[in-house]
Amino acid sequence: MPPDCPFQHLIELLKDNTGKKFYNVAKLGGSKYDSLPYSIRVLLEASVRNWDGFLVKEEDVMNILDWKAKQNDVEVPFCPARVLLQDFTGIPAMVDFAAMREAVKNLGGDPSRVHPACPTDLTVDHSLQIDFSKCAMQNTPNPGGGDPQRPPAKLSPLKAPRKLPCRGQAACRGPCDGESSRNSGPLSVQIENTPLLCPFHLQPVPEPETVLKNQEVEFGRNKERLQFFKWGSKMIENVSVIPPGTGMAHQMNLEYLSRVVFDVKDFLYPDSVVGTDSHTTMVNGLGILGWGVGGIETEAVMLGIPLTLTLPEVVGCELTGTASPLATSIDIVLSITKQLRQAGVSGKIVEFFGSGVSQLSVVDRTTIANMCPEYDAILSFFPIDNVTLKHLKHRGFDEAKLKSMEAYLKTVKLFRNDELSTGEPEYSQTVHINLGSIMPSVSGPRRAQDRVAVTDMKSDFQACLNEKVGFKGFQIPPEKQSDVVPVEFEGNEYKLAHGSVVIAAVISCTNNCNPSVMLGAGLLAKKAVEAGLTVKPYIRTSLSPGSGMVTHYLSSSGVLPYLKKLGFDVIGYGCSTCVGNTTPLPEAIQNAIMQGDLVACGVLSGNKNFEGRLCSCIRANYLASPPLVVAYAIAGTVNIDFQNEPLGVDPAGKSIFLHDIWPSREELHQVEEELVISSMFKELKEKMEKGNKRWDSLEVLESVLFTWDWKSTYIRCPSFFDKLAKEPLPIQSIENAHVLLHLGDSVTTDHISPAGSIARGSAAARYLSSKGLTPREFNSYGARRGNDAVMTRGTFANIKLLNKFIGKPAPKTIHFPTGKTMDVFDAAEAYQKENIPLIILAGTKYGLGNSRDWAAKGPFLLGVKAVIAESYEKIHKAHLIGIGIAPLQFLPGETASSLGLTGKEQFSIPFPQKLSPGMTLDVKTNTGKLFRVIAAFDNDVEITLYRHGGVLNYTVRRLL
């Protein structure tokens, strides 16, 4: 902090005798601060802490403090505490840092000073390619290598698994060669590409061969890239790489990387993050301000340049009331998502408050935060509270650290507490959601959109029996509606009726974002078994966990044996019952259904319930939450009123109702936090400490400068700094520039940036062929983002690009000195050889779409000096400035067409040395036309970056 900082007086010692310091921003504005939303308080603290008088000014701090009056009217800087990268977007950023070290060294500086200004975590597991599956491994003669000439046989979806030993699993207590109880043997379903199961204990059989083989191929395919990442993690300060085989970006962000409160040299400040992963918003469920951005924004933050954002509106979402005991986490999450979508929160921050917030676990909160794209909010913020601290304790946070964290957060008023009587922040608008209004429901009997409240299920089913045949009708004559058909099965007699459940499948493919609903099904099963309840043996029951995370929930909580006792055996991890992959019903059951013309039912927790999909003799199919699937299986019918009718009777003859065995939310959260979460983080910590043998064995040269391999086609030192001087040159005017492309409205970053596979015959393909690669080895542009030669050739290579010079979609343009039609890169290369500068003419909303770093880098390397457009997508305009391209804008009401421009002219644009934001510049063509454009710079920082030739050059010079 500079000695002249106007906020020096806010630094205090934490009153817990730890000697830790912090900025007490709560003292800055008094009652004005107290009325700020918590998310805005985090923005304020970051601006105070990062004040430098240039990038972050005192005026910026005051604007944030005056949020109530300034929202939507001013732009403010934000300096996140850290950056999260996944491997695809991390490659170009790390390549730029390695290249900057070369530039600093060449200009006489210390290259070791080139490193991110904030902690930067890069995860490598984002782009795993699956070359081997368990199914394929099972059918090869030798899983360790096999016969390469023999293709693996395809496993039939209904083929029973061959029995294999458990290979010494600790969970197994005996030989795994017997028959399991219900639904075993030939009636079990082996879903294609699922883990093999011990047929007796129904525990997943470890398949290390598949994991090891995929990792082996991955390390071989990406060895060069992985070595580069490892060099960066060892030699570049503030860079940490999460090795392959550990976890994806958003998973690691939640489970391992989140600090919640930073403690750097005994100075405390809130955790905040921007990341290139679209799921970054999940961390807001932990009270960490964060969202996803593009590659250039993250790189700018790494370089110490703050993000610029319009001071956003904040919508307060008040949660009140108590959720129905039968409402699951998914019910609550989807209901909140629906109501926020209806409230219109697009482009705003949503912040949760009210007594109902404490009913949501951290898992619930992160799920809601992850649903931001569904209601188009910037992020959904849950301030830190006692629920958060309890979660962090189970995550393994040190007790002393938690105490300091709590003391700090309460001092700076970033801790939400229902017990305090202090007023809530003031919000731009408030949305009220009563959790008590969220009613659990099922969908059916034929369509997912036909929702039925669980409390109305019996009456709705009976109404369906009466209605004409249709989506909600079966037209059963009244005198037939009470028919009962006796059936003998496995030596016992049972009775089937309309509404009898004959298939019950617990599937978590649509619940992986929140596995707690699966845990709820397990806890219900546990209580049911303990109460002596059973499921009739003719009901086809099954359990498909859907993901390893769900399996972890069920295993660590100890509920799997109880699910198994009720017949819900683990059948695999693929799409199963909901796509019709179910074992046929017993012949006796099918005959009874047809004999009585019964409306038999299937209940499943998937997302599809089309008629006849489960079985041709089943006419009613209901979608329900996993716990309700178990409940209806126990009841044996959907024609039941859970509130007034028992599920069954215990051995003593006592009636057992659903509310007797339904797990409360408190019970569910307790098991989730104390058993599941704690064991999950313990396992992750052990994995991180154990390391990855292949990663550890990768050899890299420990040198300050990266040793570039001139033969590499994946990683190459970019040419951004080839002509860089110590001091910035005077702003250069553009003389006699040709138009590379004449574009229309709404040209997106997808049109500009290289993406997808590399087409044969393209400029990039010709380049790779010249390096000795065959088309099969071209890979994708995404995989080669670290090679500027490939990426430049792929710029404007989109086949949907509509260049007015060509008149039809094609990645082509005209080289006007020769009049030849060429690939865009070939024309640009010819212009550069002739020392002719280039510009682009465009219509409205140039640069629309997702943030892409190469949508700016590519045009720059093609020789584009300026873009003249009618309007810009704001983020892309900032990217152009950040790379050194001038964003110029036609005057209001003027277009290339209205000015009579064909694009075939040559353009000269003089730039004054005292360039200022919004200045009007003259443009002259070689045909004598003269018109004016606006220099579309928004502030002095953007002028400074442009004067230096972009943020990379600015950073290099700042480090000299």
Side-chain angles (χ1 to χ4, degrees):
M1 176 64 67
D4 58 342
C5 172
F7 307 110
Q8 198 81 24
H9 65 285
L10 296 177
I11 298 179
E12 292 185 2
L13 277 170
L14 192 64
K15 296 178 181 179
D16 65 349
N17 299 319
T18 58
K20 300 184 186 300
K21 297 180 179 180
F22 64 100
Y23 279 100
N24 192 351
V25 287
K27 289 186 175 181
L28 188 60
S31 60
K32 186 176 286 190
Y33 178 88
D34 293 343
S35 68
L36 291 177
Y38 289 91
S39 50
I40 300 300
R41 297 178 196 182
V42 176
L43 287 179
L44 180 66
E45 191 281 338
S47 293
V48 167
R49 179 167 36 86
N50 290 284
W51 177 92
D52 64 357
F54 175 56
L55 296 173
V56 182
K57 302 176 182 177
E58 184 175 4
E59 177 188 3
D60 298 320
V61 175
M62 294 300 112
N63 282 337
I64 298 174
L65 184 62
D66 198 21
W67 168 83
K68 187 176 180 181
K70 298 292 181 66
Q71 56 184 295
N72 266 347
D73 288 338
V74 297
E75 292 194 338
V76 295
F78 174 49
C79 301
R82 59 187 173 93
V83 163
L84 176 69
L85 300 172
Q86 38 96 335
D87 42 11
F88 261 26
T89 51
I91 272 282
M94 296 300 295
V95 166
D96 287 347
F97 270 83
M100 279 191 285
R101 288 196 161 192
E102 295 278 353
V104 168
K105 174 73 164 53
N106 293 337
L107 294 174
D110 179 3
S112 65
R113 295 186 61 203
V114 178
H115 58 77
C118 63
T120 299
D121 301 302
L122 189 152
T123 63
V124 183
D125 267 353
H126 209 79
S127 58
L128 176 67
Q129 182 172 319
I130 298 175
D131 297 279
F132 296 91
S133 71
K134 294 176 176 65
C135 172
M137 293 296 299
Q138 176 182 339
N139 286 276
T140 53
N142 177 7
D147 180 1
Q149 303 302 317
R150 176 185 171 186
K154 185 175 182 180
L155 183 64
S156 167
L158 295 179
K159 183 177 179 181
R162 66 183 176 93
K163 294 170 186 174
L164 293 177
C166 274
R167 303 176 190 172
Q169 285 194 118
C172 289
R173 296 289 184 265
C176 298
D177 54 3
E179 293 294 331
S180 61
S181 57
R182 304 176 77 252
N183 297 350
S184 62
L187 297 180
S188 295
V189 181
Q190 174 67 25
I191 307 303
E192 190 170 359
N193 289 334
T194 62
L196 300 176
L197 303 174
C198 159
F200 181 72
H201 300 96
L202 283 174
Q203 297 292 319
V205 175
E207 283 289 283
E209 297 98 335
T210 55
V211 177
L212 294 176
K213 275 187 167 290
N214 277 317
Q215 287 192 6
E216 184 179 336
V217 173
E218 191 77 3
F219 269 83
R221 177 189 293 121
N222 296 308
K223 182 178 180 181
E224 185 181 334
R225 184 179 61 150
L226 294 174
Q227 284 179 318
F228 177 67
F229 282 147
K230 188 168 184 180
W231 169 83
S233 67
K234 293 175 74 72
M235 302 309 301
I236 301 181
E237 183 182 339
N238 270 344
V239 171
S240 174
V241 175
I242 307 300
T246 308
M248 294 178 68
H250 54 278
Q251 174 193 352
M252 296 304 300
N253 195 21
L254 273 177
E255 299 174 5
Y256 185 75
L257 301 174
S258 295
R259 282 78 158 177
V260 185
V261 171
F262 267 86
D263 184 350
V264 179
K265 297 179 180 178
D266 287 332
F267 203 99
L268 304 176
Y269 55 92
D271 190 0
S272 57
V273 61
V274 291
T276 55
D277 181 69
S278 60
H279 299 286
T280 305
T281 52
M282 292 178 77
V283 297
N284 291 282
L286 276 174
I288 299 170
L289 195 69
W291 64 91
V293 295
I296 282 189
E297 290 101 319
T298 51
E299 197 166 338
V301 172
M302 292 166 67
L303 293 168
I305 308 297
L307 294 175
T308 300
L309 65 153
T310 301
L311 195 58
E313 293 182 43
V314 181
V315 177
C317 184
E318 183 180 20
L319 302 182
T320 58
T322 302
S324 163
L326 297 184
T328 66
S329 295
I330 295 298
D331 292 322
I332 294 171
V333 167
L334 294 181
S335 181
I336 290 174
T337 298
K338 179 181 178 180
Q339 294 188 56
L340 287 175
R341 186 165 54 238
Q342 294 171 342
V345 297
S346 178
K348 304 172 185 178
I349 290 176
V350 175
E351 186 169 294
F352 289 86
F353 71 101
S355 58
V357 174
S358 297
Q359 296 183 45
L360 302 181
S361 68
V362 168
V363 175
D364 296 336
R365 299 175 187 191
T366 55
T367 306
I368 293 170
N370 190 43
M371 298 289 279
C372 273
E374 294 294 324
Y375 44 89
D376 202 25
I378 298 172
L379 55 92
S380 287
F381 191 72
F382 287 86
I384 298 167
D385 60 6
N386 288 318
V387 174
T388 318
L389 293 182
K390 186 177 179 180
H391 172 81
L392 296 176
K393 181 178 180 180
H394 292 133
R395 236 182 77 172
F397 269 53
D398 178 75
E399 194 72 35
K401 181 178 181 179
L402 282 174
K403 286 183 179 179
S404 293
M405 182 187 298
E406 184 177 0
Y408 164 71
L409 291 169
K410 288 182 175 178
T411 303
V412 296
K413 300 180 180 179
L414 285 173
F415 190 87
R416 192 190 71 83
N417 195 334
D418 287 333
E419 299 171 2
L420 298 180
S421 59
T422 54
E424 297 289 354
E426 297 180 15
Y427 294 105
S428 309
Q429 70 182 84
T430 303
V431 176
H432 301 279
I433 298 178
N434 182 358
L435 296 179
S437 68
I438 301 174
M439 297 301 297
S441 62
V442 298
S443 295
R446 288 190 170 102
R447 300 188 304 179
Q449 61 264 43
D450 294 327
R451 301 185 69 181
V452 183
V454 173
T455 52
D456 299 331
M457 182 63 170
K458 182 171 184 175
S459 60
D460 186 83
F461 179 75
Q462 291 175 345
C464 289
L465 293 180
N466 287 312
E467 289 295 325
K468 292 181 179 180
V469 175
F471 292 125
K472 292 282 289 183
F474 301 105
Q475 202 169 353
I476 303 297
E479 66 273 13
K480 296 279 189 180
Q481 291 180 14
S482 299
D483 285 357
V484 174
V485 179
V487 60
E488 185 173 318
F489 183 76
E490 294 183 350
N492 294 306
E493 185 176 298
Y494 301 92
K495 294 179 180 179
L496 297 183
H498 293 293
S500 289
V501 173
V502 292
I503 289 181
V506 175
I507 307 162
S508 76
C509 58
T510 53
N511 297 305
N512 289 333
C513 59
N514 193 329
S516 62
V517 291
M518 296 290 282
L519 177 59
L523 291 176
L524 186 142
K526 180 176 183 291
K527 290 188 171 187
V529 170
E530 291 171 345
L533 298 179
T534 60
V535 173
K536 294 178 177 65
Y538 62 78
I539 298 176
R540 280 285 168 261
T541 49
S542 60
L543 170 62
S544 178
S547 76
M549 176 63 72
V550 176
T551 303
H552 188 100
Y553 264 62
L554 299 178
S555 299
S556 59
S557 60
V559 298
L560 269 177
Y562 298 97
L563 285 163
K564 174 180 167 55
K565 187 76 173 177
L566 293 180
F568 289 93
D569 295 331
V570 176
I571 60 165
Y573 290 76
C575 291
S576 51
T577 307
C578 62
V579 295
N581 287 348
T582 185
T583 305
L585 293 175
E587 187 175 347
I589 302 300
Q590 293 190 52
N591 291 339
I593 293 172
M594 290 185 287
Q595 175 190 334
D597 191 26
L598 299 179
V599 179
C601 299
V603 186
L604 64 155
S605 61
N607 60 359
K608 299 179 180 71
N609 61 336
F610 305 129
E611 183 180 10
R613 173 169 280 192
L614 301 188
C615 180
S616 60
C617 63
I618 297 177
R619 284 189 273 175
N621 300 309
Y622 287 93
L623 302 181
S625 67
L628 283 175
V629 171
V630 177
Y632 280 114
I634 294 170
T637 179
V638 299
N639 194 16
I640 182 174
D641 178 357
F642 281 140
Q643 288 182 306
N644 301 305
E645 298 179 57
L647 289 173
V649 294
D650 66 11
K654 178 186 176 183
S655 294
I656 305 296
F657 290 83
L658 181 60
H659 60 77
D660 294 324
I661 63 170
W662 190 273
S664 67
R665 291 185 61 77
E666 293 75 18
E667 181 183 3
L668 184 62
H669 291 168
Q670 181 179 359
V671 173
E672 185 176 52
E673 287 286 349
E674 295 181 3
L675 295 179
V676 180
I677 299 294
S678 59
S679 66
M680 185 171 66
F681 286 113
K682 180 182 178 182
E683 183 179 298
L684 178 62
K685 185 178 179 182
E686 289 173 353
K687 182 187 289 187
M688 291 298 296
E689 291 174 350
K690 183 179 179 182
N692 182 304
K693 289 183 178 180
R694 281 192 174 86
W695 173 261
D696 294 339
S697 65
L698 278 177
E699 295 182 0
V700 294
L701 187 62
E702 296 188 14
S703 58
V704 174
L705 300 178
F706 181 69
T707 305
W708 305 95
D709 181 357
W710 64 271
K711 295 180 293 184
S712 173
T713 56
Y714 278 98
I715 297 173
R716 183 175 182 266
C717 186
S719 55
F720 298 129
F721 311 107
D722 286 355
K723 299 178 182 179
L724 185 65
K726 277 191 175 183
E727 297 295 331
L729 299 173
I731 296 179
Q732 301 294 301
S733 295
I734 298 173
E735 300 288 345
N736 297 314
H738 267 296
V739 176
L740 179 64
L741 295 161
H742 189 187
L743 305 171
D745 298 335
S746 301
V747 172
T748 69
T749 51
D750 284 342
H751 290 117
I752 306 168
S753 181
S757 59
I758 298 173
R760 299 189 185 195
S762 65
R766 294 196 300 272
Y767 167 79
L768 293 173
S769 294
S770 72
K771 299 294 182 180
L773 273 66
T774 64
R776 290 187 63 181
E777 299 170 308
F778 287 170
N779 214 322
S780 65
Y781 285 111
R784 296 190 182 275
R785 292 178 73 166
N787 186 326
D788 65 309
V790 172
M791 298 302 283
T792 305
R793 286 165 171 80
T795 302
F796 293 114
N798 191 312
I799 60 174
K800 298 295 184 181
L801 180 73
L802 183 57
N803 180 6
K804 293 183 180 181
F805 294 151
I806 305 301
K808 62 180 181 180
K812 303 286 184 180
T813 194
I814 296 175
H815 177 246
F816 286 106
T818 62
K820 293 181 179 179
T821 298
M822 305 179 176
D823 285 343
V824 174
F825 172 80
D826 294 334
E829 186 178 44
Y831 281 124
Q832 289 193 35
K833 289 178 180 178
E834 297 157 352
N835 292 317
I836 297 175
L838 298 171
I839 65 170
I840 291 172
L841 295 180
T844 60
K845 297 181 180 179
Y846 180 75
L848 196 66
N850 293 333
S851 172
R852 300 188 187 278
D853 53 346
W854 275 100
K857 290 178 177 178
F860 174 81
L861 292 177
L862 288 176
V864 174
K865 304 298 182 184
V867 177
I868 305 178
E870 295 172 44
S871 65
Y872 292 88
E873 175 69 17
K874 179 180 174 61
I875 292 176
H876 184 65
K877 180 169 71 71
H879 290 178
L880 293 176
I881 296 168
I883 202 64
I885 295 176
L888 307 178
Q889 195 165 329
F890 290 109
L891 296 179
E894 293 185 352
T895 66
S897 178
S898 71
L899 293 170
L901 300 174
T902 66
K904 299 178 181 179
E905 305 90 350
Q906 287 184 267
F907 294 74
S908 295
I909 310 170
F911 280 80
Q913 291 308 303
K914 293 187 177 180
L915 184 64
S916 60
M919 177 180 282
T920 303
L921 305 177
D922 294 323
V923 182
K924 185 177 181 180
T925 71
N926 63 335
T927 60
K929 286 190 187 304
L930 183 67
F931 61 98
R932 311 192 82 189
V933 295
I934 299 168
F937 300 92
D938 292 332
N939 50 56
D940 291 336
V941 172
E942 290 188 344
I943 294 289
T944 299
L945 295 180
Y946 177 71
R947 187 182 298 277
H948 278 268
V951 65
L952 299 178
N953 292 353
Y954 171 78
T955 301
V956 167
R957 293 189 177 109
R958 194 171 57 167
L959 294 173
L960 295 177

